[in-house]
Amino acid sequence: NLSAYIQDSWKVGKGFTLNAGLRWEQQDVRDRFGETAFKIDDNWSPRVGFIWDVKNNGKSKLYANYGRFYESVPQDINIRAFGGEVVCFCNNFSSSASDTRPDPRAPVSRLLGGAEPVDPSLKGQYIDEYIAGFEYEVAPNFVLGVKGTHRNLGRVIEDFLVISEGTYFIANPGEGTFG
C-alpha cells in the first residue's frame, strides 16, 4: 500500500475551528512471483470536521467529523487467489491412509487452484464514518459528554463462485463487470 495525506486546520472565528483533509491510497496486490495481480489507485478519502466552543469559555466543545476510510484487500483473498494455493481431491478405495495413489475406479479427481480472475473495474472497499458530540467541563478535570458514531459500509471486495461458470472471481458485489 502507498498513501499520501494533506490536511489543514483553520480558526474561522472566535472558538470555531474547521479541519479538512484528503488522503489518497494505492493498493498494489501482487502474486507469489511479485507480479501485480491487480492495482487499485483511485482511493480518495475526504475528511472534514469542526470544533466549536459554544460558550466561548474554553470548557465547552461541540464537534462533528466525516471521513472515508479505505480498507486493505483482505490477506486471505490475496493468499488464496494469488499465492499458488492448490487443492486436490484424490479418491481411492484403499484402506491405508498412507496410500495416496488415485484409483481409476474411484470418482474423478478434481484440482482447484491458480490465479482467480479479477474484475477489471474493481474498486477499493471503504466505510464512511460520521461522528458528532458535545462535551462540557463541569469541574476541573471532570468532563461530561455525549458522542454518536455512524458507520456505513460503502463497498466491499469479495471472492465468490459463479456457479454457472464454476469459477471464482474477485469483484465488488453488485458492481462492475463480474459483481
Side-chain angles (χ1 to χ4, degrees):
N1 289 357
L2 179 66
S3 64
Y5 187 78
I6 185 169
Q7 69 179 13
D8 205 351
S9 187
W10 301 272
K11 265 207 176 302
V12 178
K14 191 171 181 182
F16 190 84
T17 303
L18 181 64
N19 301 306
L22 184 64
R23 180 181 176 93
W24 168 82
E25 295 181 41
Q26 171 186 281
Q27 296 182 49
D28 185 4
V29 176
R30 297 175 181 238
D31 64 16
R32 66 185 175 140
F33 303 110
E35 300 295 321
T36 297
F38 64 90
K39 185 185 285 189
I40 302 172
D41 59 6
D42 59 352
N43 292 345
W44 291 96
S45 305
R47 316 277 168 86
V48 65
F50 72 87
I51 302 170
W52 180 27
D53 182 357
V54 178
K55 296 280 192 175
N56 206 21
N57 61 3
K59 295 182 178 193
S60 65
K61 179 168 92 169
L62 176 68
Y63 61 94
N65 295 291
Y66 161 77
R68 174 165 286 179
F69 299 89
Y70 280 90
E71 300 175 357
S72 292
V73 173
Q75 290 298 303
D76 184 57
I77 288 178
N78 191 10
I79 291 167
R80 296 182 74 136
F82 309 112
E85 181 181 75
V86 175
V87 177
C88 179
F89 299 98
C90 300
N91 302 289
N92 65 32
F93 297 115
S94 175
S95 59
S96 171
S98 63
D99 184 1
T100 58
R101 294 172 294 147
D103 188 316
R105 298 171 294 151
V108 177
S109 296
R110 195 166 163 210
L111 186 66
L112 299 174
E116 292 179 19
V118 178
D119 191 328
S121 57
L122 186 71
K123 301 288 185 190
Q125 64 183 27
Y126 68 88
I127 61 169
D128 287 326
E129 180 178 82
Y130 303 85
I131 298 174
F134 179 77
E135 297 177 0
Y136 194 81
E137 183 180 14
V138 294
N141 299 316
F142 187 75
V143 175
L144 290 177
V146 63
K147 174 181 172 182
T149 302
H150 174 76
R151 291 187 182 113
N152 181 46
L153 180 60
R155 183 185 307 121
V156 297
I157 295 174
E158 276 292 341
D159 61 338
F160 56 93
L161 177 64
V162 177
I163 295 173
S164 62
E165 298 189 26
T167 306
Y168 276 92
F169 292 94
I170 296 176
N172 305 116
E175 296 181 20
T177 308
F178 302 149

